[in-house]
């Protein structure tokens, strides 16, 4: 479980936008994108199709998860992306809007579809894969390109890894002409290679200028005239750069996120929901990971990763309890605080107020150590609340697991 939390943190701290939003940003950055109109209602979808004016259009569900084309709606509709006759737009929009689409990447619960993108059907000759990510190994941006696209890059990486090229870029100088040429040739572009290079450079400039963590185009397509077009668009942004891109971050779709994670962000708490039954409230990411590991070693299962940070106030502690207990799967809560900057008496006050105001129905195991620990323990003892105290982390984990046995 702890490993799940570690890998999931990036998703929590990064902004992801829908395809239609990403396509607009790409367009403003000089990237070729298909003409499309986002629709939030069935009526808007019908009007959008009429504005496109063709006999056929592409209708795409907008969710923040990959694999839409092979996904399935909980109402039975197969596929989240369809090429349909304009006369069928109303029928499909009614089934898609307000529905829940389940894909390989959405999780079993799926994602709500509140928007569909009506796009002009393109006459595509080739489909490629293109992406830029931050790469830990090279310490900078990494361009990934493949001459085959429009399908799962994970499957292709497994079956034909030799078709994928990777080009690490020096972030201080940007891609060289030789690197751009390598990418263009690796894609197998048959049209104007100089124009194709300009598109690759425009995508890279977007990645840097907008503080992106990811720019993925699958497929990056070539039409019958040899022109490169970003036929799909997926962009992730670094939350630390929000102050520089308020217009982008205002587009965040909270309906696609775990409501507990949204609530946690408002209180400047780091929260990731897991599938266990012991809620965790800890200060410091490392201690939080250790706490989840020890719960697992003692036969329990953590319900969340929650780091209250080093300077949490009483109100934040109360908010943390509210978020943890909003998960019906939580049967016990383990509070593990090592007071350095964080003071144990402040944590104790927050625990006491939360326990009284929320009328907690689950066992709460508390382990405090560090600054003002004696005062914190005294407050807990004098509170008269039915709290379970622990001497160390192993003792706390053992008691938390035993409390729900």
């Amino acid at each position: 479980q702890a490993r799940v939390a570690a890998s999931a943190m990036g998703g929590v701290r990064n902004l992801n936008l829908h395809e239609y939003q990403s396509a607009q940003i790409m367009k403003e950055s000089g990237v070729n994108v298909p003409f499309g109109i986002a629709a939030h209602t069935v009526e808007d979808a019908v009007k959008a199709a009429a504005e496109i004016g063709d006999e056929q259009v592409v209708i795409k569900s907008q969710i923040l998860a990959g694999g839409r084309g092979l996904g399935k709606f909980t109402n039975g509709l197969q596929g989240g992306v369809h090429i349909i006759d304009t006369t069928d737009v109303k029928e499909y929009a009614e089934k898609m809007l307000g529905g829940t689409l389940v894909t390989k990447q959405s999780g079993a619960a799926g994602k709500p579809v509140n928007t569909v993108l009506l796009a002009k059907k393109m006459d595509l000759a080739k489909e490629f894969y293109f992406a830029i990510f931050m790469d830990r190994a090279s310490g900078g941006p990494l361009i990934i390109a493949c001459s085959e696209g429009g399908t799962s890059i994970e499957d292709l990486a497994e079956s034909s890894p030799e078709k994928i090229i990777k080009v690490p870029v020096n972030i201080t100088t940007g891609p060289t002409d030789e690197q751009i040429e390598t990418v263009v040739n690796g894609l197998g572009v048959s049209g104007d290679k100089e124009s194709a290079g300009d598109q690759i450079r425009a995508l890279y400039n977007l990645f840097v200028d907008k503080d992106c963590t990811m720019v993925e185009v699958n497929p990056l397509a070539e039409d019958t005239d040899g022109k490169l077009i970003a036929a799909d668009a997926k962009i992730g942004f670094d939350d630390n750069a929000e102050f520089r891109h308020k217009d982008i971050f205002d587009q965040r779709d909270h309906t696609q996120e775990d409501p507990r994670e949204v609530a946690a962000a408002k209180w400047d708490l780091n929260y990731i929901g897991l599938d266990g039954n012991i809620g965790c409230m800890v200060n410091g990411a490392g201690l939080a990971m250790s706490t989840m590991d020890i719960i697992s070693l003692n036969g329990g299962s953590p319900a969340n990763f929650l780091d209250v940070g080093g300077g949490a106030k009483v109100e934040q502690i109360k908010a943390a309890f509210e978020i943890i207990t909003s998960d019906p799967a939580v049967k016990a809560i383990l509070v593990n605080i090592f007071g350095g900057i964080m003071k144990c008496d402040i944590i104790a006050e927050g625990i006491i107020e939360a326990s009284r105001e929320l009328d907690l129905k689950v066992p709460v195991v508390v382990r405090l150590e560090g600054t003002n620990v004696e005062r914190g323990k005294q407050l807990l003892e004098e509170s008269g609340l039915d709290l379970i105290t622990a001497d160390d982390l192993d003792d706390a984990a053992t008691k938390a697991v035993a409390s729900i046995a």
Side-chain angles (χ1 to χ4, degrees):
Q1 291 286 8
R3 300 295 172 257
V4 173
S7 64
M9 286 192 70
V12 172
R13 302 307 301 169
N14 299 330
L15 167 69
N16 292 311
L17 294 185
H18 288 292
E19 176 191 3
Y20 75 95
Q21 297 166 321
S22 297
Q24 181 59 34
I25 294 172
M26 285 186 176
K27 181 180 178 182
E28 293 168 358
S29 300
V31 179
N32 300 326
V33 298
F35 178 72
I37 303 170
H40 306 286
T41 67
V42 175
E43 292 74 19
D44 286 344
V46 173
K47 289 178 182 177
E51 184 174 340
I52 291 172
D54 296 337
E55 291 185 3
Q56 287 191 317
V57 293
V58 184
I59 185 168
K60 297 182 169 186
S61 303
Q62 299 296 285
I63 64 169
L64 295 181
R68 293 173 297 166
L70 298 176
K72 186 174 182 179
F73 281 86
T74 54
N75 61 17
L77 178 63
Q78 184 67 48
V81 178
H82 296 272
I83 299 173
I84 58 175
D85 292 337
T86 299
T87 53
D88 293 332
V89 166
K90 182 174 184 294
E91 176 190 347
Y92 275 82
E94 286 175 342
K95 292 178 181 178
M96 297 167 83
L97 286 168
T100 300
L101 181 60
V102 181
T103 76
K104 275 187 174 182
Q105 296 183 20
S106 71
K111 296 283 188 181
V113 177
N114 301 313
T115 307
V116 291
L117 174 64
L118 279 299
K120 189 175 184 66
K121 180 186 174 185
M122 306 298 294
D123 190 7
L124 304 178
K126 292 183 178 180
E127 294 187 352
F128 315 121
Y129 175 88
F130 178 87
I132 310 174
F133 298 92
M134 288 303 293
D135 178 49
R136 186 182 298 274
S138 61
L142 179 70
I143 296 176
I144 301 174
C146 181
S147 57
E148 293 184 23
T151 185
S152 169
I153 189 64
E154 294 86 357
D155 293 342
L156 193 61
E158 188 174 329
S159 63
S160 305
E162 73 283 354
K163 294 182 179 179
I164 299 173
I165 64 167
K166 299 178 180 180
V167 180
V169 178
N170 185 327
I171 198 166
T172 60
T173 59
T176 64
D177 291 342
E178 290 77 14
Q179 287 177 318
I180 294 292
E181 185 179 355
T182 297
V183 174
V184 170
N185 291 335
L187 290 172
V189 172
S190 60
D192 186 337
K193 287 183 168 50
E194 185 176 345
S195 295
D198 290 341
Q199 286 296 295
I200 301 304
R201 201 174 290 279
L203 286 163
Y204 178 83
N205 291 339
L206 161 64
F207 180 85
V208 174
D209 294 344
K210 302 298 184 184
D211 293 295
C212 298
T213 56
M214 170 193 72
V215 170
E216 185 179 43
V217 184
N218 187 21
L220 176 63
E222 188 177 70
D223 66 13
T224 52
D225 295 326
K227 178 181 176 183
L228 278 190
I229 300 170
D232 192 9
K234 187 186 294 183
I235 310 178
F237 302 86
D238 187 344
D239 276 4
N240 293 305
E242 180 174 359
F243 70 98
R244 283 204 287 254
H245 307 289
K246 193 173 185 307
D247 58 329
I248 292 175
F249 279 78
D250 283 346
Q251 299 179 57
R252 186 170 221 139
D253 183 357
H254 292 299
T255 68
Q256 299 288 310
E257 302 176 26
D258 186 326
R260 298 167 298 178
E261 295 178 8
V262 174
K266 291 178 181 177
W267 287 97
D268 200 24
L269 302 169
N270 295 314
Y271 176 94
I272 300 168
L274 301 173
D275 55 6
N277 55 11
I278 298 178
C280 305
M281 186 172 76
V282 191
N283 67 318
L287 189 59
M289 300 293 283
S290 300
T291 301
M292 292 190 296
D293 280 343
I294 291 181
I295 288 173
S296 298
L297 286 171
N298 279 274
S301 181
N304 64 272
F305 169 104
L306 194 150
D307 170 18
V308 297
K313 303 293 188 293
V314 170
E315 292 77 14
Q316 288 172 293
I317 303 303
K318 288 164 57 181
F321 268 99
E322 289 179 1
I323 293 165
I324 291 172
T325 55
S326 68
D327 182 352
V330 170
K331 304 303 179 187
I333 299 174
L334 194 163
V335 180
N336 183 26
I337 299 295
F338 183 84
I341 300 173
M342 169 63 68
K343 296 179 175 62
C344 292
D345 54 332
I346 298 296
I347 288 289
E349 289 175 15
I351 293 170
I352 292 166
E353 285 198 32
S355 298
R356 287 174 175 161
E357 290 186 20
L358 300 177
D359 189 24
L360 297 176
K361 303 295 185 184
V362 298
V364 178
V365 180
V366 183
R367 180 256 183 172
L368 300 177
E369 195 60 68
T371 306
N372 295 351
V373 63
E374 296 304 325
R375 175 57 180 160
K377 289 181 177 179
Q378 181 184 356
L379 288 171
L380 293 177
E381 289 172 3
E382 295 174 353
S383 70
L385 296 169
D386 187 19
L387 300 171
I388 303 170
T389 57
D391 297 325
D392 54 44
L393 179 50
D394 193 53
D395 183 38
T398 300
K399 288 178 176 177
V401 173
S403 71
I404 59 175

